[in-house]
């Protein structure tokens, strides 16, 4: 940015530098400065195409000014080194229950041992599973799909029973394939029929019931570059002639990455048109009439889910509280990383309930439970007061908590409580705390399993 600013102050500055300066301001969310630079570019150019290009940038900057005035109440969490690497990790798709994540990566260790002309390894598809709220070490989805050439996941249904793959091979380009899951294994990629692959196809996804395929394609009869199409499955298992989703969804620019929500009516997709604030933004639209294939006017998902950069692919969990997206960020491991977005206006809480137990059940209990979020210690501690009979209820968001139970007449008790997230989330947990002195508790009989039985002695071999 500073370099472009310096050049524009020189007496023989090329007019195209003003456009590049505008782009730099745009990416930095300096929208008023970007608009001034683009207007200067329009003054200096004699090309009608250049003026149209600058007007599009100015429109996006004005969209950015409006969207950044009302930021969403969300937080971003880099999902960690078990998934992300210094190499590009992108196009994340998560199951509705947040137990499985499948994504594309250009890391070493795959079938290709050499980098490509851009300095990266070929793209492969990797998978990770969530265990106790933690994503496990990501692994290749297998050589039945990954080859020395490029494979990318470009869509998946919410149950991960079927995913859509884009191949960039020497002899294959611009078509989409599908792979079905049997247990923990995905099948070899199979090409969709010619009704689907009749143009240049870039992405797609299957509806939750498996009866509709939504995909992006550049073909004759579209509204612009790539449009979103939908095809229905026929009784014989083949796909019918695709239908364009119409001008409410498609624009003269590129639309990509359609993903139908688990509700079967909400379609998420990316677009360079509509009210984008720069490059691709993610939008959602509602299927208002399935018979006529009518869709509502798309809604921008808002800032900071969308940015002035390239926001192309998003995948939601079933409760819409969490989504997964990829982007470049200063706190990342390098290049594109995968992030977990939490929508706090739709925050979920786990209920932890139980009872404080004391030796004398006839006396009222005076107690206080304090829970401190170990990850966000700047937050005020949560405090919950049990009833006189000792019953308590706590509502806690997912996290790890240091819990202190203060009960009049007894030493404080401390505990560490984990409220799991992802697929391990439990909406309700029962946990009792006892203040009965150790000597009053009944001794626990020793276990009677085989480990406590006398071990047989080896035979005497001296005879």
């Amino acid at each position: 940015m500073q370099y472009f600013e310096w050049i524009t102050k020189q007496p023989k500055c090329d007019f195209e530098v003003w456009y590049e300066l505008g782009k730099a301001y745009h990416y930095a969310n300096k929208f008023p400065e970007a608009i001034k630079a683009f207007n200067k570019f329009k003054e200096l150019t004699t090309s009608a195409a250049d003026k149209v290009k600058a007007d599009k940038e100015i429109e996006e900057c004005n969209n950015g000014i409006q969207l950044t005035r009302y930021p969403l109440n969300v937080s971003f969490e880099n999902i960690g080194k078990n998934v992300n690497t210094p190499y590009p990790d992108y196009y994340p798709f998560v199951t509705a229950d947040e137990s499985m994540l499948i994504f594309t990566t250009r890391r070493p260790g795959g079938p290709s041992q050499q980098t490509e002309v851009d300095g990266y390894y070929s793209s492969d598809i990797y998978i990770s599973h969530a265990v106790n709220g933690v994503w496990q070490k990501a692994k290749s989805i297998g050589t039945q799909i990954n080859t020395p050439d490029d494979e990318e996941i470009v869509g998946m249904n919410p149950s991960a029973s079927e995913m859509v793959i884009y191949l960039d091979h020497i002899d294959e380009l611009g078509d989409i394939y599908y792979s079905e899951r049997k247990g923990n294994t995905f099948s070899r990629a199979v090409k969709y029929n010619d009704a689907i692959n009749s143009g240049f196809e870039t992405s797609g996804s299957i509806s939750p019931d498996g009866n509709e395929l939504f995909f992006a394609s550049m073909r004759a009869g579209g509204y612009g570059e790539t449009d979103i199409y939908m095809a229905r499955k026929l009784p014989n298992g083949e796909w019918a002639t695709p239908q364009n989703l119409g001008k409410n969804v498609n624009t003269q620019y590129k639309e990509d990455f359609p993903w139908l929500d688990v509700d079967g009516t909400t379609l998420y997709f990316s677009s360079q048109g509509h009210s984008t604030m720069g490059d691709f933004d993610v939008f959602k639209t509602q299927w208002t009439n399935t018979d006529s294939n009518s869709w509502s006017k798309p809604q921008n998902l808002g800032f900071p889910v969308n940015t002035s950069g390239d926001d192309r692919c998003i995948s939601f969990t079933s409760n819409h509280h969490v989504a997964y997206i990829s982007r470049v960020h200063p706190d990342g491991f390098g290049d594109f990383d995968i992030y977990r977005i939490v929508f706090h206006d739709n925050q979920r809480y786990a209920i932890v309930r139980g009872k404080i137990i004391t030796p004398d059940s006839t006396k009222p209990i005076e107690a206080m439970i304090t829970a401190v979020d170990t990850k966000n210690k700047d937050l005020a501690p949560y405090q919950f007061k049990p009833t006189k009979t000792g019953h308590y209820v706590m509502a806690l968001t997912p996290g790890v908590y240091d819990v202190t139970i203060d009960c009049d007449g007894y030493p404080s008790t401390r505990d560490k409580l984990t409220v799991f997230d992802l697929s391990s989330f439990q909406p309700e947990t029962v946990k009792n705390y006892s203040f009965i002195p150790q000597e009053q508790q009944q001794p626990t009989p020793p276990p009677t399993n085989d480990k406590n039985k006398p071990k047989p002695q080896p035979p005497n071999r001296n005879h």
Side-chain angles (χ1 to χ4, degrees), residues 147-206:
T147 73
D149 294 319
D150 291 289
E151 298 81 28
E152 296 178 326
I153 179 172
V154 292
M156 187 176 77
N157 64 352
S159 65
S161 63
E162 189 169 333
M163 66 175 172
V164 181
I165 301 170
Y166 179 84
L167 304 183
D168 187 358
H169 292 182
I170 295 174
D171 57 343
E172 292 286 345
L173 181 69
D175 288 329
I176 53 176
Y177 295 66
Y178 68 92
S179 172
E180 296 178 332
R181 179 164 63 99
K182 305 295 183 184
N184 293 322
T185 304
F186 281 86
S187 67
R188 189 176 299 276
V190 178
K191 190 175 180 179
Y192 283 106
N193 65 18
D194 291 342
I196 304 302
N197 286 309
S198 67
F200 190 94
E201 287 69 44
T202 58
S203 62
S205 65
I206 306 292

Side-chain angles (χ1 to χ4, degrees), residues 342-360:
V342 178
F343 292 79
H344 295 291
D345 289 338
N346 191 23
Q347 179 68 288
R348 61 178 175 181
Y349 296 84
I351 299 299
V352 181
R353 62 181 179 84
K355 188 176 182 181
I356 307 297
I357 302 171
T358 60
D360 190 349

